[in-house]
Amino acid sequence: MPELIHYDVRDRVAVLTIDNPPVNAMGPGVLEGIEENIARANGDADVDAIVLIGAGTTFIAGADIKIFGTLKTREQSLARSEATHARLKRIEDSSKPLIAAIHGNALGGGLEVAMACHYRIIAPDARVGQPEVMLGIIPGAGGTQRLPRLCGAELAIEMCTGGKPVSARKAADAGIVDNVAGPDLLHDAVAFATAMAMSGEVRKTRDLSNKIADRDAGVAACTAARASLAKTARGVKAPFKAVDAIEGAFTLDFEQGSARERELFADCVTAHESRALVHMFFADREAAKVPDVPRDTPVTKIERAAVIGAGTMGGGIAMAYANAGIPVLLKDVDGAAVARGIATIRKNYESTVAKGKMTREAMDKTMALITPTTTYDGFDQVDIVVEAAFEDMNLKKEIFADLGRLTKVSCILASNTSTLDIDEFAKASGRPGQVIGHHFFSPANVMKLLEIVRGRDTSKEAIATSLALAKRLGKVGVVVGNCFAFVANRMLAYYMREALLLLEEGATVPQIDKAMTDFGMPVGPFGMQDIAGIDVGWRIRQFLKSIGKTRAEGPQSEVPDRLYEMGRYGQKTGAGWYKYEQGSRERIHDPLVDEIAAKEAARRGIQRRAIKDDEIIARIMTALANEGARILEEGYATRASDIDAVYCYGFGYPRHVGGPMFYADSVGLPTVLEHVQQYRAQFGDYWKPAPLLEQLANEGKTFNP
Ligand code: 3H9
């Protein structure tokens, strides 16, 4: 087994270097090794003080997240947390001064180890945080007790409930760390350790009382935090548990507070919320791995980009590039179209500035990266072009033929199409290896999903470059195959089909939307269409009709067509699935829509009935899982967790539920299969079970291994 902790002595300071690539997570042997080496240093006559530092790019990224999957029971979780608490206490009991030297990240258990050291010094660009809530848990190694003792209630609550790391400067100002180092962290840490050895001072965080002295203020901060979380943390429990644990720092002594933290930690680890969020943590990272595209595949460096089409999507894509600091040409057919696009972009940035989320200076700098144009001048210099023109095959073929001639050979030619076959324009470009789908989601500068569509001839380099670029743009890139509507919209079609059929069968628009928002979706299917525009959906249906396709198998509800014919396009026309008062986005139930649905139901011979919320969730989720299974067996997604990532980041499916495939796994595939069979008997053959679903259910397996 490789040595996880290296022991060196420099100027009578023992330097313990944690070496567990890639992020020094606290896997088996790490914490044990730290403890053993601290004991060694304490017994080493040539050592006066100890520095704990990480090898590679980071200090410690926390507990090894894979371990949580092995904790099957509350007792096992409790035992794990107890063992870690005891070990950190022994570490804190070092009689020689112990200094954590933090670079990169000290996250979760990593910060908890650092806080069990007597002092902390940090590199200027490093960050510290307690991101456990992102995994559905709370700090389980004393973080909720030591952090408030260093920085007080407010920041401890913010860090443990929000999960966002804080900068070195903020950590120093708040008292979480003692010193910000210069460019040579180890040098400064050794000097700091020497000074501490001379003073002979050993300061244990658990003995500090200054920042927790005001019990009433601490309790009041926790009460206020719970009230605020009740509005913002819908459907999740971990942030509330974190507050409960932090309150213990103010109302209990260290031992009792720690015991309470362990109990709350154990409650969280085995809950569905944590299982789902841990699944999503790995889903995000697995998505970047494409079996036949090795990690060392060469990538094109993207230094300049161009976007064709300055409409809503093109403008958003240009913003995504500019936000990542990449200069981008924004081309449209005439000056007026480009000017409109630029005006919209400016308006978007202005509103970010008005909300205080961006400075005007940063806005001006970012806007300056976007160059409007109506010609192909400069396209020979760019490393990538993203085409976001109208969904018209002939137009796209022309554009790709132009791009094939005008851009440099290494330039990636991406299309933001959501419905067309990218192999067609790949052919037209004459450079099919460079052509790839980059399907952004609206608003493209905000939504985190980038569906990377692999065509028949797309090169491995183009795929690897797209994945690296997605990360740079702050997106989760998921590589999918070139099937009709790709993965995200293909799944969405089944989600919408069921919502519309449920409406015809007797559920109401607000009922279906509420069932889905209670489930965790940010907005229900009808509210979402009112935002996107019912006219947009109508145009897509007309286009599909023209190429002889439908969005999803099964009956096609015509209720949306009736709304379109009435000019009810959604929020923008003051009416759609809901009514809206002038200038307001508040959704008001419109009985007229129920009447239209009832008429359509009568026309199709459907007997209307009262529908329970449970049926709404089960029907919609079963439709998603069954279609997901088809996508998997047809090979258009690499793994089930890729589909989970697509649905979470494309449409806001709740991460704490884990994505539609993970949800199906947690319901149990035999139950999902039973639902499909029952619906088939009740509604017709369009509810055919996907063979993969049948196979896995019969074998007692799950979509996600
Ligand atoms: C915790 O600490 C609980 C405690 O309170 C105590 C309980 C008793 N474990 O993200 P990247 C892998 S909970 C295992 O692409 P980056 C990751 O899967 C933990 N593996 O790199 C990937 O593997 P692969 C609290 C981990 O540079 C590789 O490392 N801590 C862990 O973009 C590279 O990761 C957190 O939640 C881990 N802890 O970002 C921090 N972390 O290459 C989680 C990473 O095979 N980590 N991996 O796909 C992060 O936020 C980011 O990884 C970090 C680096 C910012 C550190």
Side-chain angles (χ1 to χ4, degrees):
M1 200 173 152
E3 193 180 61
L4 294 170
I5 314 295
H6 307 299
Y7 186 97
D8 292 303
V9 179
R10 260 197 198 202
D11 302 336
R12 297 192 59 79
V13 173
V15 176
L16 314 188
T17 308
I18 311 149
D19 190 4
N20 188 29
V23 291
N24 295 327
M26 285 149 52
V30 172
L31 211 45
E32 291 86 333
I34 293 174
E35 187 187 354
E36 276 163 25
N37 280 285
I38 288 173
R40 175 177 167 189
N42 271 288
D44 189 338
D46 293 332
V47 164
D48 299 328
I50 309 158
V51 165
L52 182 65
I53 194 165
T57 56
T58 204
F59 180 66
I60 301 176
D64 184 344
I65 296 169
K66 284 185 214 88
I67 287 172
F68 298 130
T70 66
L71 302 176
K72 302 286 180 212
T73 64
R74 197 176 178 284
E75 287 65 39
Q76 285 172 343
S77 315
L78 205 51
R80 169 129 220 131
S81 179
E82 266 164 15
T84 312
H85 270 251
R87 213 177 280 286
L88 290 193
K89 221 171 144 204
R90 290 196 294 273
I91 287 174
E92 199 172 30
D93 283 337
S94 164
S95 56
K96 296 184 181 173
L98 173 58
I99 286 90
I102 301 168
H103 75 301
N105 291 284
L107 298 177
L111 178 56
E112 289 171 304
V113 168
M115 291 191 295
C117 295
H118 304 139
Y119 306 98
R120 286 149 294 282
I121 179 166
I122 191 166
D125 57 351
R127 307 176 313 163
V128 301
Q130 298 285 178
E132 286 87 346
V133 281
M134 309 280 203
L135 301 167
I137 57 173
I138 67 165
T144 65
Q145 303 305 299
R146 287 195 179 87
L147 188 58
R149 282 171 165 78
L150 289 172
C151 69
E154 269 82 12
L155 185 56
I157 292 171
E158 183 190 313
M159 288 171 69
C160 293
T161 62
K164 263 205 200 134
V166 299
S167 67
R169 191 64 268 157
K170 186 164 176 178
D173 291 346
I176 301 172
V177 299
D178 301 283
N179 269 343
V180 178
D184 189 341
L185 173 66
L186 179 58
H187 170 274
D188 291 1
V190 170
F192 185 20
T194 307
M196 286 302 133
M198 290 207 310
S199 80
E201 239 183 277
V202 162
R203 188 191 62 194
K204 296 181 189 175
T205 309
R206 68 174 191 253
D207 293 339
L208 299 177
S209 56
N210 198 12
K211 299 264 174 91
I212 52 163
D214 192 342
R215 180 187 194 278
D216 291 348
V219 171
C222 290
T223 307
R226 286 188 193 98
S228 145
L229 286 170
K231 292 186 208 131
T232 54
R234 277 194 321 126
V236 288
K237 293 209 171 64
F240 295 92
K241 301 260 182 194
V243 176
D244 292 349
I246 289 171
E247 196 172 49
F250 293 89
T251 56
L252 304 168
D253 67 21
F254 184 79
E255 289 306 327
Q256 293 164 334
S258 298
R260 183 172 186 189
E261 178 193 277
R262 292 194 292 267
E263 295 283 340
L264 292 162
F265 171 81
D267 288 345
C268 293
V269 173
T270 47
H272 180 81
E273 177 179 328
S274 172
R275 301 281 188 232
L277 287 167
V278 167
H279 164 72
M280 289 312 300
F281 176 86
F282 289 113
D284 294 354
R285 286 154 182 87
E286 281 302 294
K289 296 170 194 161
V290 184
D292 66 335
V293 180
R295 275 192 173 197
D296 58 357
T297 303
V299 296
T300 306
K301 206 159 167 227
I302 305 293
E303 280 170 350
R304 282 164 206 287
V307 173
I308 296 181
T312 310
M313 285 312 287
I317 296 168
M319 286 175 78
Y321 275 90
N323 292 344
I326 303 171
V328 57
L329 296 168
L330 181 60
K331 176 182 182 306
D332 212 317
V333 281
D334 56 41
V338 187
R340 261 197 312 276
I342 293 286
T344 307
I345 291 173
R346 181 171 294 282
K347 209 171 115 207
N348 286 338
Y349 280 128
E350 296 274 7
S351 115
T352 315
V353 170
K355 286 182 200 145
K357 292 184 179 164
M358 192 182 207
T359 62
R360 185 150 291 278
E361 195 192 356
M363 167 184 155
D364 291 343
K365 240 169 133 182
T366 312
M367 282 290 296
L369 291 171
I370 306 175
T371 308
T373 179
T374 54
T375 71
Y376 280 120
D377 286 353
F379 273 57
D380 56 342
Q381 302 293 314
V382 301
D383 306 298
I384 184 165
V385 181
V386 187
E387 168 278 312
F390 292 119
E391 290 287 80
D392 176 326
M393 181 56 93
N394 289 331
L395 172 66
K396 299 216 183 214
K397 277 186 180 166
E398 259 173 50
I399 292 173
F400 275 81
D402 288 344
L403 294 176
R405 275 183 292 106
L406 299 167
T407 58
K408 54 189 178 190
V409 184
S410 60
C411 181
I412 305 276
L413 306 177
S415 171
N416 180 52
T417 183
S418 56
T419 44
L420 299 177
D421 179 359
I422 63 160
D423 287 336
E424 290 287 314
F425 14 106
K427 234 186 291 165
S429 76
R431 296 216 312 267
Q434 295 301 99
V435 176
I436 192 160
H438 278 192
H439 185 205
F440 287 81
F441 288 73
S442 190
N445 52 314
V446 176
M447 294 303 284
K448 273 190 81 101
L449 177 64
L450 179 64
E451 216 176 10
I452 299 171
V453 187
R454 173 180 199 163
R456 194 176 41 229
D457 300 312
T458 306
S459 69
K460 293 181 183 176
E461 288 76 7
I463 295 170
T465 302
S466 300
L467 281 165
L469 176 66
K471 199 164 179 185
R472 212 169 139 202
L473 298 182
K475 313 266 175 214
V476 175
V478 183
V479 177
V480 301
N482 183 23
C483 60
F484 177 66
F486 316 132
V487 171
N489 283 341
R490 183 170 156 179
M491 298 279 287
L492 182 70
Y494 285 80
Y495 177 86
M496 285 311 303
R497 178 196 76 186
E498 277 316 292
L500 287 165
L501 294 180
L502 284 157
L503 176 68
E504 289 190 0
E505 288 164 36
T508 65
V509 163
Q511 184 198 359
I512 297 169
D513 273 1
K514 180 161 186 318
M516 293 318 298
T517 51
D518 286 350
F519 182 79
M521 297 296 292
V523 55
F526 298 104
M528 180 175 77
Q529 278 206 336
D530 270 1
I531 296 167
I534 288 170
D535 53 326
V536 175
W538 183 85
R539 269 199 296 278
I540 293 173
R541 283 194 300 285
Q542 301 314 301
F543 164 72
L544 293 178
K545 265 188 210 158
S546 75
I547 57 169
K549 294 206 190 267
T550 52
R551 296 188 111 182
E553 274 178 47
Q556 307 296 309
S557 168
E558 290 186 16
V559 180
D561 295 336
R562 299 294 91 80
L563 297 186
Y564 174 81
E565 287 153 11
M566 295 163 75
R568 296 179 66 121
Y569 295 167
Q571 283 188 2
K572 60 186 164 192
T573 57
W577 291 107
Y578 294 91
K579 291 190 284 202
Y580 300 89
E581 301 209 321
Q582 183 107 37
S584 160
R585 290 181 180 175
E586 193 196 333
R587 301 180 182 106
I588 303 167
H589 179 200
D590 191 345
L592 185 62
V593 176
D594 300 331
E595 280 172 35
I596 299 170
K599 245 193 231 163
E600 281 303 309
R603 191 179 63 78
R604 297 210 299 116
I606 294 167
Q607 193 71 38
R608 299 193 95 210
R609 63 195 163 92
I611 293 179
K612 293 213 166 82
D613 290 357
D614 287 355
E615 180 179 343
I616 296 174
I617 304 287
R619 288 261 299 273
I620 290 181
M621 291 304 142
T622 306
L624 281 178
N626 199 39
E627 192 54 20
R630 273 208 196 97
I631 290 170
L632 265 184
E633 73 199 15
E634 289 166 12
Y636 291 113
T638 306
R639 48 184 86 79
S641 63
D642 283 5
I643 300 180
D644 288 331
V646 160
Y647 220 81
C648 283
Y649 294 116
F651 304 119
Y653 190 98
R655 276 171 65 84
H656 65 270
V657 179
M661 307 309 275
F662 183 83
Y663 179 74
D665 284 342
S666 59
V667 167
L669 297 192
T671 308
V672 176
L673 177 62
E674 228 171 78
H675 284 157
V676 178
Q677 284 159 341
Q678 178 202 325
Y679 301 149
R680 186 180 196 177
Q682 199 176 343
F683 303 111
D685 256 357
Y686 64 91
W687 268 107
K688 243 188 318 236
L692 181 67
L693 171 62
E694 279 185 313
Q695 183 201 323
L696 294 175
N698 292 333
E699 289 172 358
K701 292 188 177 153
T702 47
F703 288 130
N704 289 287

